[in-house]
Amino acid sequence: MNVRDRVARLRKAYAPHEHRPLGGYLAAMGTYAGVAAALGIAAKTTGRRVPERPTTADVVLLSIATHKLSRLLSKDAVTSPLRAPFTRYDRPIGSGEVMEQVRDQGSSTRHAVGELLSCPFCLAVWVATGLAGGLVLAPRLTRLVATAFTAVAASDFLQMGYAIVQQAAEKPRAEPEVGS
């Protein structure tokens, strides 16, 4: 039995009733490993020292920036042209975000990239790795960019809170009963 047959049997055994793009997932994992290795090599060749322990402030800053940037890249209507080759528009889901479906036609790599680009949880790993690498290679610029995305995330929550308060203020209030 050749390798191709073994892979086909493994794919069928893994998900007998559903197509899962295992080859695409392998390609995505390989690409991620390559990016992580490139960041490590860049740090070493430029003489940048990796911090022994990131500061709590940097962890909080990068966490919030990772949340916002991964959400922006994976769900924002304006960034849909980046996802369009891999996804298909489904419907709006509020606050300027859209729901998209992964394109099943084409290669398993296209499918895997579509899943990655339309899932903020999946994309967050890549974004956090990029920001962490940036913290080593260009810490001042990375902190500035992360600060901007953190401010946008805070603004989003303030905008949503404002909208909730505004809706509550506009609701008709029940008239008090006479004699109460």
Side-chain angles (χ1 to χ4, degrees):
M1 179 179 294
N2 65 28
V3 173
R4 186 175 294 228
D5 292 338
R6 286 182 184 179
V7 169
R9 284 182 58 202
L10 175 63
R11 188 177 308 130
K12 186 163 179 74
Y14 174 71
H17 304 296
E18 185 177 342
H19 169 68
R20 299 306 306 150
L22 298 181
Y25 295 154
L26 282 172
M29 289 188 308
T31 302
Y32 177 84
V35 168
L39 287 171
I41 291 167
K44 183 136 181 108
T45 58
T46 59
R48 303 286 182 167
R49 295 183 64 222
V50 175
E52 184 175 321
R53 184 175 304 149
T55 66
T56 302
D58 280 339
V59 171
V60 170
L61 181 67
L62 266 58
S63 297
I64 297 169
T66 294
H67 162 77
K68 183 57 195 171
L69 185 53
S70 62
R71 192 114 200 129
L72 178 89
L73 291 172
S74 65
K75 294 292 180 188
D76 198 272
V78 175
T79 58
S80 61
L82 302 174
R83 299 182 304 274
F86 309 98
T87 62
R88 184 174 35 263
Y89 174 81
D90 189 10
R91 66 185 184 281
I93 56 174
S95 300
E97 293 188 342
V98 296
M99 178 59 72
E100 295 165 329
Q101 299 301 317
V102 174
R103 292 180 187 255
D104 260 338
Q105 305 87 347
S107 73
S108 64
T109 301
R110 181 180 184 185
H111 181 108
V113 171
E115 285 188 13
L116 175 67
L117 292 178
S118 62
C119 171
F121 299 97
C122 307
L123 199 54
V125 175
W126 292 69
V127 170
T129 300
L131 289 174
L135 201 55
V136 172
L137 297 172
R140 292 175 71 169
L141 178 61
T142 301
R143 284 188 185 100
L144 179 64
V145 169
T147 298
F149 282 111
T150 297
V152 173
S155 174
D156 287 351
F157 283 101
L158 291 170
Q159 296 288 359
M160 288 180 198
Y162 181 87
I164 290 169
V165 169
Q166 189 177 31
Q167 286 173 353
E170 291 174 356
K171 281 186 180 175
R173 296 195 175 140
E175 294 293 322
E177 291 183 28
V178 177
S180 355

